[in-house]
Amino acid sequence: MPSRFASIKGVLLDLSGTLHIDNTVTPRAVEALKLLRNTGIKVRFVTNSTKTSDARLHAKLSKLGFELPPSEIFTSLSAAKRLVQQHNYRPLLILEDEALEQFTDINQDEPYNAVVIGLAPSKLDYRSMNSAFTALLGGADLVGIHRAKYYASAEGQLSLGPGGFIAALEFAADKKAVLVGKPARAFYELALADMGLLESPESVAMVGDDVLADLGGGALELGLLRALVKTGKYREGDESKAEVPLAGVYNTFADFVDAVIS
């Protein structure tokens, strides 16, 4: 095993762009995940996926061939719901219908005291943004489920993420968003604690296709071993954007696993 992974005890894995791109599995990913588990290394999945509910996401991953219990998946959508519940928010939710299913037990009556915004291509239009702006002017808090600049579409092209929309609302309403997904440190800590490795984050690798949203922020602050894969939203030269040199850059997630077990 390479020295940089000699003491590895856990792996945090991004999903979209790393294990799959829409309905297509990245090369050898299903087999590689099984190999990684067979080493005894603990695995958790940390995703900023906000277009669908956790239940639908798990069903999709299972259909693609991945074997993983729902309890191992940590989504920014769930983190956002926890925040809403903790603060007794009555949120204006700018989310896709399949993601809204996760909030059916949340009071969403006006007047809103929070705006929660995620990746919602069919909902992010002038009307919804102006409604959010009005709520913010009325004193509502702004919650960004994540602020990725872009994501990889099914065709492999980059599409605009929620980050630009969140930035627009921050600018217009003169209000700073609270972010709950990657790369917020607290989000990674939830998964680390679940693995029993919160006190030794340096023994955990974080693998993703976004050098900033997956491998920056809290991943860097915690000292995780950061590995970038050249699938999904990766574009040539992305590794040079890292504030601190990465532990490794691999063509695919499967190549990362090969390096770990070799």
Side-chain angles (χ1 to χ4, degrees):
M1 181 180 289
S3 60
R4 71 186 66 179
F5 297 118
S7 60
I8 195 171
K9 297 178 181 178
V11 176
L12 299 180
L13 289 175
D14 173 50
L15 287 173
S16 179
T18 300
L19 296 189
H20 70 96
I21 301 171
D22 197 26
N23 292 314
T24 302
V25 177
T26 57
R28 298 191 295 123
V30 172
E31 296 79 6
L33 180 58
K34 291 178 181 178
L35 288 172
L36 183 61
R37 287 190 185 282
N38 288 340
T39 65
I41 293 172
K42 297 179 180 179
V43 179
R44 295 296 184 273
F45 305 87
V46 287
T47 176
N48 276 343
S49 176
T50 62
K51 292 171 65 177
T52 188
S53 67
D54 289 4
R56 287 181 180 268
L57 175 61
H58 180 259
K60 176 178 181 176
L61 293 170
S62 297
K63 187 175 181 179
L64 290 174
F66 294 105
E67 298 177 3
L68 65 166
S71 61
E72 289 185 353
I73 304 175
F74 290 78
T75 72
S76 54
L77 197 65
S78 291
K81 184 174 181 179
R82 282 193 293 271
L83 184 70
V84 166
Q85 292 170 322
Q86 290 169 357
H87 290 267
N88 293 315
Y89 281 143
R90 297 181 311 280
L92 169 60
L93 299 170
I94 304 180
L95 300 170
E96 293 292 343
D97 291 340
E98 290 188 353
L100 288 172
E101 294 173 2
Q102 198 147 326
F103 292 82
T104 54
D105 58 339
I106 297 295
N107 182 358
Q108 300 170 41
D109 294 336
E110 298 186 51
Y112 303 117
N113 57 4
V115 172
V116 178
I117 181 170
L119 178 59
S122 71
K123 301 295 181 70
L124 287 167
D125 53 22
Y126 181 83
R127 182 175 180 178
S128 64
M129 288 288 285
N130 198 49
S131 295
F133 173 65
T134 300
L136 295 173
L137 289 184
D141 292 336
L142 178 59
V143 178
I145 299 184
H146 68 91
R147 65 183 312 151
K149 294 179 179 180
Y150 43 76
Y151 68 100
S153 67
E155 296 76 25
Q157 297 179 330
L158 296 184
S159 296
L160 189 63
F165 295 94
I166 294 170
L169 289 173
E170 288 179 319
F171 174 75
D174 195 22
K175 184 164 294 192
K176 188 70 174 175
V178 174
L179 300 174
V180 295
K182 295 179 296 184
R185 178 173 179 150
F187 187 60
Y188 296 105
E189 288 177 334
L190 288 172
L192 289 172
D194 191 64
M195 289 192 291
L197 296 173
L198 184 58
E199 300 305 317
S200 55
E202 69 283 351
S203 69
V204 178
M206 173 66 215
V207 185
D209 65 322
D210 190 323
V211 72
L212 299 179
D214 291 331
L215 309 179
L220 183 58
E221 294 169 12
L222 287 163
L224 301 178
L225 292 169
R226 299 164 301 129
L228 180 67
V229 293
K230 296 183 176 183
T231 51
K233 68 176 68 172
Y234 172 85
R235 291 298 181 268
E236 194 65 35
D238 277 356
E239 53 268 48
S240 66
K241 300 176 183 177
E243 296 179 35
V244 175
L246 301 167
V249 181
Y250 303 91
N251 287 328
T252 66
F253 161 65
D255 290 330
F256 162 78
V257 174
D258 288 344
V260 169
I261 65 178
S262 62

